[in-house]
Amino acid sequence: MLNLGLIGCGSIAGTHVDNIVNHLKGAQVTEVFDVVREAAEALVSKYGLSAKVATSASQVIQAEDVDAVVVCSRNDTHFEPIMEAIKAHKPVFTEKPMTTSQKECQKIVDAEVQAGQRFVQVGFMRRYDPYYQQLKKTIDSGLIGAPLMGYCRHFATVPPTEYFTTENLIDDSFVHESDILHWLFNDEYKSVQVQFPRQNSTNQNEGMRDPQIVTVKMKQGAIVNVYLDMNSHYGYEIKCQVVGEKGIAQLPEINNLDLHADRKVYHEVDYDWSNRFTEAYQLELQDFIDQVAANKSPAGPTAWDGYIANVTVDRAIQSQKTEEPLTVELPQKPALYQK
Ligand code: ISE
């Protein structure tokens, strides 16, 4: 049984704990911490955990009854616990983004390279989604030929939070596409550009410009347009279409039932990501548990993947200022992360 220490007890932590308790095998939560103690106590109570409520993240990480750490705290508080877990030689699953700073990502990569071991898995759960897995397999099979261009839709019914900012469309939402696209296209990014089309007059978030279009250019020439809209009103929709030399592969248009009722034929659209990626959240954490139990290291999205996403996100946020394309430059991939 893998003993997990949880840092951050908000909504995504609830998703992971629910999965650990009710859907996954081989792990239990033994220590939890949140800066708001009541949030930690509420999580323990809601899921009937026998976990201890710690008084600090360090106490969780250093605890003898913690074999691995799960970081679900606010995005800009991931760095310290990740680094401490690595220093303690404890594997760590961190929610995306790995951190909100390129420099911090570099330090995490450097720490793993120095240790000569991977400890970090980043919560880019779309790689575990069965539909994205099929899309990747189809592209890799050569059925559609070399990928030439793509279109993605990342729409939210309403902004994820009432304080969601112009930058958050990139560092909290587009960050998923910044991970999945180089994985799907088997390529590296050449440049990224953010443009603001006509803005949505129904947007209530003053600090948030919405919608946004991100244009990603790959080194082998493919171009992908990512439409970000946090005020779709009709629902949460994730699309990904890849056009190749010989055909098109794309996520299915419909992932909910076809309904024939009230003299209509229709399908419902998800309200948010929790339903659309239910299986992906379970598969990513089960993989972390299984790999750590068997090999002491995770095999999912690595700290280097987290670094690529962060560099790309940083350049996209810089492009928001001018709407000009900016190059994405990465150092040589360390040997630790070669496939
Ligand atoms: C949220 O944090 C997630 O990770 C969801 O998967 C994403 O679709 C949403 O845009 C983010 O705000």
XYZ file of all heavy atoms in Angstrom, residues 29-101:
552
model
N -4.383 7.783 1.767
C -3.913 9.098 2.192
C -3.644 9.036 3.693
O -4.527 8.704 4.485
C -4.959 10.182 1.875
C -4.467 11.564 2.318
C -5.268 10.198 0.374
N -2.402 9.367 4.083
C -2.048 9.238 5.503
C -1.805 10.588 6.189
O -1.846 10.688 7.406
C -0.761 8.396 5.632
O 0.244 8.984 4.778
C -1.005 6.949 5.225
N -1.490 11.615 5.380
C -1.263 12.965 5.944
C -1.862 13.984 4.974
O -1.739 13.825 3.756
C 0.241 13.248 6.079
C 1.014 12.279 6.943
C 1.114 12.738 8.396
O 0.777 13.910 8.684
O 1.515 11.917 9.238
N -2.526 15.024 5.502
C -3.036 16.106 4.646
C -2.651 17.441 5.270
O -2.478 17.546 6.497
C -4.566 16.043 4.485
C -5.000 14.763 3.813
C -5.266 16.227 5.828
N -2.466 18.436 4.406
C -2.206 19.795 4.881
C -2.888 20.791 3.953
O -2.901 20.614 2.719
C -0.707 20.110 4.922
C -0.424 21.583 5.147
C -0.654 22.175 6.385
C 0.014 22.386 4.093
C -0.436 23.535 6.587
C 0.241 23.751 4.284
C 0.018 24.323 5.535
N -3.429 21.840 4.558
C -3.899 23.000 3.796
C -3.643 24.229 4.672
O -3.729 24.152 5.904
C -5.391 22.883 3.460
C -5.824 23.912 2.406
O -5.936 25.104 2.783
O -6.003 23.534 1.236
N -3.339 25.337 4.024
C -3.097 26.565 4.814
C -4.345 26.941 5.605
O -4.265 27.599 6.648
C -2.648 27.748 3.911
C -1.229 27.550 3.401
C -3.601 27.945 2.741
N -5.497 26.496 5.086
C -6.753 26.665 5.844
C -7.045 25.317 6.497
O -7.494 24.362 5.831
C -7.907 27.079 4.903
C -9.214 27.219 5.695
C -7.569 28.369 4.163
N -6.745 25.192 7.761
C -6.857 23.897 8.453
C -8.248 23.285 8.297
O -8.396 22.060 8.104
C -6.496 24.051 9.935
C -6.457 22.734 10.682
C -5.992 22.852 12.125
N -5.992 21.540 12.774
C -4.985 20.661 12.678
N -3.909 20.969 11.955
N -5.046 19.483 13.275
N -9.273 24.175 8.314
C -10.655 23.669 8.213
C -10.860 22.935 6.891
O -11.626 21.961 6.818
C -11.656 24.830 8.330
C -11.726 25.505 9.702
C -10.513 26.388 9.991
O -9.796 26.763 9.016
O -10.267 26.680 11.173
N -10.189 23.374 5.830
C -10.339 22.704 4.519
C -9.767 21.294 4.598
O -10.356 20.338 4.070
C -9.622 23.519 3.442
N -8.650 21.156 5.279
C -8.034 19.824 5.445
C -8.935 18.931 6.297
O -9.184 17.760 5.959
C -6.659 19.969 6.090
N -9.445 19.497 7.387
C -10.329 18.713 8.274
C -11.601 18.292 7.542
O -12.083 17.168 7.678
C -10.652 19.538 9.527
C -9.463 19.713 10.462
C -9.684 20.777 11.535
O -10.609 21.625 11.362
O -8.927 20.777 12.529
N -12.130 19.213 6.702
C -13.367 18.898 5.973
C -13.129 17.758 4.984
O -13.969 16.866 4.816
C -13.847 20.140 5.234
N -11.960 17.769 4.326
C -11.646 16.708 3.353
C -11.532 15.357 4.057
O -12.070 14.345 3.604
C -10.329 17.046 2.636
C -10.019 16.270 1.360
C -10.904 16.712 0.209
C -8.562 16.436 0.972
N -10.853 15.346 5.215
C -10.690 14.098 5.993
C -12.051 13.560 6.389
O -12.346 12.375 6.242
C -9.814 14.363 7.240
C -9.902 13.194 8.222
C -8.361 14.615 6.834
N -12.910 14.482 6.821
C -14.247 14.074 7.276
C -15.097 13.592 6.104
O -15.722 12.528 6.149
C -14.918 15.274 7.962
O -16.285 15.047 8.114
N -15.073 14.349 4.980
C -15.936 14.007 3.828
C -15.634 12.620 3.284
O -16.552 11.883 2.897
C -15.740 15.055 2.721
C -16.594 14.797 1.480
C -16.466 15.908 0.458
C -17.356 15.620 -0.767
N -17.236 16.677 -1.798
N -14.352 12.257 3.267
C -13.987 10.970 2.652
C -13.651 9.903 3.690
O -13.139 8.834 3.349
C -12.842 11.166 1.655
C -13.276 11.980 0.454
C -12.950 13.336 0.356
C -14.080 11.419 -0.534
C -13.395 14.095 -0.722
C -14.529 12.175 -1.623
C -14.181 13.511 -1.706
O -14.637 14.266 -2.753
N -13.880 10.235 4.980
C -13.669 9.227 6.026
C -12.236 8.751 6.104
O -11.941 7.583 6.334
N -11.306 9.713 5.887
C -9.888 9.336 5.900
C -9.413 9.126 7.329
O -9.877 9.801 8.253
C -9.048 10.454 5.245
C -9.376 10.845 3.793
C -8.475 12.006 3.357
C -9.268 9.664 2.851
N -8.432 8.229 7.491
C -7.798 8.099 8.819
C -6.503 8.914 8.828
O -5.617 8.706 9.653
C -7.482 6.620 9.086
O -6.713 6.109 7.999
N -6.408 9.842 7.876
C -5.192 10.656 7.723
C -5.057 11.667 8.853
O -6.060 12.120 9.435
C -5.247 11.395 6.390
N -3.778 12.017 9.156
C -3.523 13.071 10.145
C -3.558 14.431 9.440
O -3.118 14.555 8.301
C -2.144 12.872 10.790
C -1.986 11.567 11.556
C -0.630 11.538 12.273
C -0.090 10.129 12.387
N 0.708 9.691 11.229
N -4.055 15.452 10.116
C -4.016 16.822 9.580
C -2.726 17.482 10.076
O -2.548 17.712 11.274
C -5.243 17.633 10.033
C -5.133 19.087 9.533
C -6.524 16.980 9.510
N -1.819 17.731 9.142
C -0.502 18.269 9.507
C -0.570 19.789 9.652
O -1.516 20.434 9.210
C 0.516 17.889 8.435
N 0.492 20.326 10.263
C 0.523 21.788 10.468
C 1.395 22.490 9.436
O 1.519 23.713 9.443
C 1.074 22.109 11.882
O 2.354 21.457 12.001
C 0.144 21.583 12.960
N 2.018 21.718 8.534
C 2.808 22.341 7.463
C 2.998 21.341 6.329
O 2.876 20.122 6.532
C 4.184 22.755 7.993
O 4.971 21.587 8.239
N 3.354 21.880 5.154
C 3.642 21.004 4.015
C 4.867 20.147 4.318
O 4.909 18.947 4.006
C 3.872 21.844 2.767
N 5.846 20.763 4.993
C 7.071 20.003 5.332
C 6.756 18.809 6.213
O 7.323 17.730 6.048
C 8.066 20.910 6.061
O 8.616 21.828 5.164
N 5.826 19.028 7.151
C 5.477 17.930 8.055
C 4.915 16.755 7.262
O 5.213 15.586 7.544
C 4.443 18.397 9.094
C 4.156 17.375 10.180
C 3.106 17.872 11.168
O 2.789 19.053 11.230
N 2.544 16.956 11.932
N 4.135 17.055 6.220
C 3.599 15.980 5.350
C 4.747 15.283 4.637
O 4.873 14.062 4.652
C 2.611 16.566 4.322
C 2.207 15.519 3.280
C 1.381 17.126 5.018
N 5.604 16.083 4.006
C 6.673 15.521 3.164
C 7.634 14.680 3.985
O 8.052 13.601 3.582
C 7.436 16.646 2.431
C 6.490 17.371 1.466
C 8.658 16.101 1.682
C 7.000 18.726 0.991
N 7.969 15.154 5.198
C 8.971 14.461 6.035
C 8.375 13.306 6.838
O 9.097 12.511 7.414
C 9.639 15.461 6.992
C 10.342 16.635 6.299
C 11.405 16.187 5.287
O 11.956 15.083 5.380
N 11.688 17.034 4.297
N 7.044 13.189 6.852
C 6.404 12.174 7.711
C 6.862 10.767 7.338
O 6.997 10.432 6.153
C 4.892 12.273 7.597
N 7.078 9.931 8.347
C 7.528 8.558 8.085
C 6.433 7.736 7.412
O 6.682 6.795 6.678
C 7.948 7.900 9.409
C 9.304 8.417 9.883
C 9.850 7.577 11.058
O 9.257 6.505 11.366
O 10.833 8.036 11.644
N 5.171 8.151 7.643
C 4.060 7.382 7.030
C 3.639 8.010 5.701
O 2.490 7.871 5.282
C 2.873 7.299 7.992
C 2.273 8.668 8.297
O 2.928 9.697 8.007
O 1.134 8.711 8.831
N 4.581 8.716 5.041
C 4.337 9.232 3.686
C 5.426 8.710 2.755
O 6.612 8.966 2.969
C 4.319 10.779 3.668
C 4.373 11.312 2.234
C 3.056 11.299 4.359
N 4.998 7.955 1.726
C 5.956 7.405 0.745
C 6.068 8.316 -0.486
O 7.104 8.360 -1.145
C 5.476 6.041 0.253
C 5.217 5.071 1.382
O 6.076 4.999 2.294
O 4.147 4.417 1.394
N 4.953 9.013 -0.791
C 4.918 9.882 -1.978
C 3.968 11.042 -1.685
O 3.099 10.945 -0.815
C 4.442 9.103 -3.201
N 4.152 12.133 -2.425
C 3.443 13.376 -2.136
C 2.538 13.749 -3.313
O 2.910 13.529 -4.475
C 4.462 14.509 -1.866
C 3.752 15.831 -1.539
C 5.405 14.114 -0.731
N 1.369 14.301 -3.012
C 0.444 14.816 -4.038
C 0.254 16.298 -3.756
O -0.209 16.673 -2.668
C -0.909 14.071 -3.984
C -1.899 14.673 -4.995
C -0.704 12.579 -4.284
N 0.642 17.149 -4.726
C 0.581 18.606 -4.541
C -0.598 19.168 -5.323
O -0.643 19.073 -6.560
C 1.887 19.278 -5.009
C 1.770 20.809 -4.917
C 3.069 18.768 -4.185
N -1.560 19.708 -4.557
C -2.785 20.290 -5.162
C -3.017 21.701 -4.647
O -4.154 22.189 -4.670
C -3.999 19.445 -4.811
S -3.973 17.788 -5.456
N -1.969 22.341 -4.169
C -2.146 23.698 -3.623
C -2.243 24.698 -4.773
O -2.132 24.340 -5.949
C -0.956 24.034 -2.712
O 0.255 23.787 -3.400
N -2.353 25.981 -4.426
C -2.486 27.020 -5.462
C -1.288 26.959 -6.421
O -0.173 26.648 -6.015
C -2.536 28.402 -4.777
C -3.208 29.492 -5.599
C -3.217 30.800 -4.841
N -1.838 31.229 -4.572
C -1.481 31.968 -3.514
N -2.365 32.313 -2.614
N -0.218 32.336 -3.350
N -1.527 27.278 -7.685
C -0.511 27.069 -8.734
C 0.858 27.642 -8.358
O 1.891 27.056 -8.635
C -0.967 27.716 -10.051
C -2.150 26.990 -10.667
O -2.559 25.937 -10.181
N -2.709 27.550 -11.744
N 0.851 28.823 -7.708
C 2.148 29.492 -7.447
C 2.775 29.018 -6.127
O 3.719 29.620 -5.635
C 1.976 31.013 -7.448
C 0.994 31.490 -6.366
O 0.367 30.621 -5.716
O 0.848 32.709 -6.195
N 2.249 27.905 -5.571
C 2.842 27.365 -4.326
C 3.284 25.921 -4.510
O 3.434 25.181 -3.540
C 1.816 27.418 -3.163
O 0.718 26.535 -3.482
C 1.292 28.829 -2.944
N 3.488 25.522 -5.771
C 3.902 24.123 -6.019
C 5.404 23.929 -5.809
O 5.850 22.842 -5.436
C 3.558 23.707 -7.456
C 2.091 23.632 -7.748
N 1.602 23.346 -9.006
C 1.005 23.809 -6.960
C 0.282 23.336 -8.974
N -0.112 23.620 -7.741
N 6.194 24.981 -6.065
C 7.650 24.817 -6.172
C 8.282 24.266 -4.895
O 9.006 23.265 -4.928
C 8.289 26.160 -6.533
C 9.797 26.146 -6.576
C 10.472 25.391 -7.534
C 10.547 26.875 -5.651
C 11.860 25.371 -7.583
C 11.935 26.847 -5.688
C 12.595 26.106 -6.651
N 8.020 24.911 -3.766
C 8.677 24.515 -2.512
C 8.427 23.046 -2.152
O 9.369 22.280 -1.923
C 8.213 25.425 -1.357
C 8.519 26.918 -1.533
C 10.013 27.221 -1.531
O 10.777 26.367 -1.024
O 10.425 28.270 -2.057
N 7.167 22.613 -2.120
C 6.944 21.195 -1.772
C 7.556 20.224 -2.786
O 8.051 19.154 -2.397
C 5.422 21.062 -1.698
C 4.839 22.310 -2.232
C 5.884 23.358 -2.165
N 7.540 20.591 -4.062
C 8.159 19.687 -5.055
C 9.636 19.546 -4.761
O 10.186 18.439 -4.701
C 7.935 20.203 -6.488
C 6.467 20.106 -6.893
C 8.816 19.419 -7.478
C 6.141 20.761 -8.233
N 10.327 20.669 -4.550
C 11.766 20.620 -4.288
C 12.066 19.850 -3.003
O 13.001 19.037 -2.950
C 12.329 22.039 -4.193
C 12.392 22.776 -5.524
S 13.495 21.969 -6.717
C 15.082 22.499 -6.080
N 11.258 20.059 -1.971
C 11.491 19.354 -0.695
C 11.254 17.845 -0.851
O 11.979 17.014 -0.295
C 10.594 19.922 0.404
C 10.924 19.344 1.778
C 10.232 20.049 2.936
O 9.618 21.135 2.734
O 10.315 19.497 4.054
N 10.249 17.497 -1.672
C 9.988 16.059 -1.898
C 11.160 15.417 -2.632
O 11.606 14.314 -2.280
C 8.699 15.890 -2.698
N 11.691 16.141 -3.627
C 12.846 15.598 -4.366
C 14.028 15.407 -3.420
O 14.689 14.365 -3.411
C 13.233 16.530 -5.535
C 12.125 16.537 -6.599
C 14.572 16.115 -6.156
C 12.325 17.575 -7.706
N 14.276 16.433 -2.578
C 15.402 16.338 -1.629
C 15.206 15.163 -0.645
O 16.158 14.520 -0.217
C 15.533 17.640 -0.830
C 16.121 18.776 -1.658
C 16.461 20.000 -0.830
C 16.979 21.145 -1.737
N 15.968 22.222 -1.891
N 13.917 14.878 -0.354
C 13.615 13.759 0.558
C 13.543 12.434 -0.196
O 13.212 11.391 0.369
C 12.286 14.028 1.253
N 13.838 12.494 -1.518
C 13.768 11.301 -2.384
C 12.378 10.668 -2.324
O 12.253 9.427 -2.284
C 14.864 10.293 -2.002
C 16.202 10.654 -2.594
N 17.031 9.757 -3.211
C 16.833 11.852 -2.697
C 18.124 10.372 -3.664
N 18.011 11.647 -3.346
N 11.358 11.523 -2.317
C 9.967 11.028 -2.332
C 9.307 11.442 -3.647
O 9.288 12.625 -3.984
C 9.181 11.564 -1.130
C 9.676 10.987 0.203
C 8.758 11.296 1.367
C 9.307 10.669 2.644
N 8.433 10.947 3.823
N 8.748 10.470 -4.404
C 8.060 10.816 -5.654
C 6.932 11.805 -5.385
O 6.327 11.789 -4.292
C 7.516 9.478 -6.146
C 8.411 8.443 -5.511
C 8.768 9.023 -4.167
N 6.675 12.671 -6.365
C 5.669 13.726 -6.154
C 4.817 13.918 -7.400
O 5.337 14.107 -8.500
C 6.332 15.061 -5.728
C 7.505 15.445 -6.597
C 5.326 16.195 -5.628
N 3.504 13.792 -7.206
C 2.537 14.089 -8.268
C 2.095 15.523 -8.046
O 1.566 15.838 -6.966
C 1.337 13.138 -8.192
C 0.235 13.450 -9.167
C 0.172 12.814 -10.395
C -0.738 14.409 -8.872
C -0.838 13.109 -11.310
C -1.752 14.714 -9.783
C -1.794 14.064 -10.992
N 2.314 16.391 -9.012
C 1.880 17.776 -8.839
C 0.813 18.142 -9.861
O 0.933 17.799 -11.028
C 3.047 18.783 -8.963
O 2.520 20.124 -8.846
C 3.790 18.656 -10.281
N -0.213 18.825 -9.410
C -1.211 19.335 -10.347
C -0.528 20.318 -11.305
O 0.550 20.855 -11.023
C -2.353 20.052 -9.600
C -3.572 19.165 -9.416
C -4.116 18.691 -10.766
O -4.078 19.456 -11.748
O -4.510 17.520 -10.850
N -1.129 20.489 -12.488
C -0.579 21.468 -13.433
C -0.986 22.867 -12.981
O -1.944 23.015 -12.240
C -1.090 21.222 -14.837
C -2.547 20.905 -15.072
C -3.591 21.851 -14.560
C -3.725 23.130 -15.277
N -4.795 24.023 -14.702
N -0.199 23.876 -13.370
C 1.113 23.809 -13.986
C 2.137 23.390 -12.934
O 1.911 23.615 -11.744
C 1.343 25.240 -14.455
C 0.569 26.081 -13.493
C -0.641 25.258 -13.122
N 3.256 22.835 -13.350
C 4.249 22.362 -12.363
C 4.615 23.522 -11.424
O 4.627 23.350 -10.202
C 5.494 21.841 -13.085
C 6.529 21.236 -12.147
S 7.762 20.269 -13.004
C 8.755 21.561 -13.782
N 4.942 24.672 -12.005
C 5.103 25.899 -11.205
C 4.690 27.055 -12.121
O 4.337 26.833 -13.275
C 6.568 26.165 -10.759
O 7.251 26.836 -11.828
C 7.295 24.886 -10.413
N 4.710 28.248 -11.614
C 4.305 29.395 -12.457
C 5.526 30.204 -12.877
O 5.398 31.354 -13.292
C 3.347 30.312 -11.647
O 3.974 30.612 -10.396
C 2.024 29.618 -11.399
N 6.704 29.588 -12.769
C 7.908 30.338 -13.145
C 8.893 29.437 -13.865
O 9.180 28.316 -13.403
C 8.568 30.923 -11.893
O 9.979 30.739 -11.918
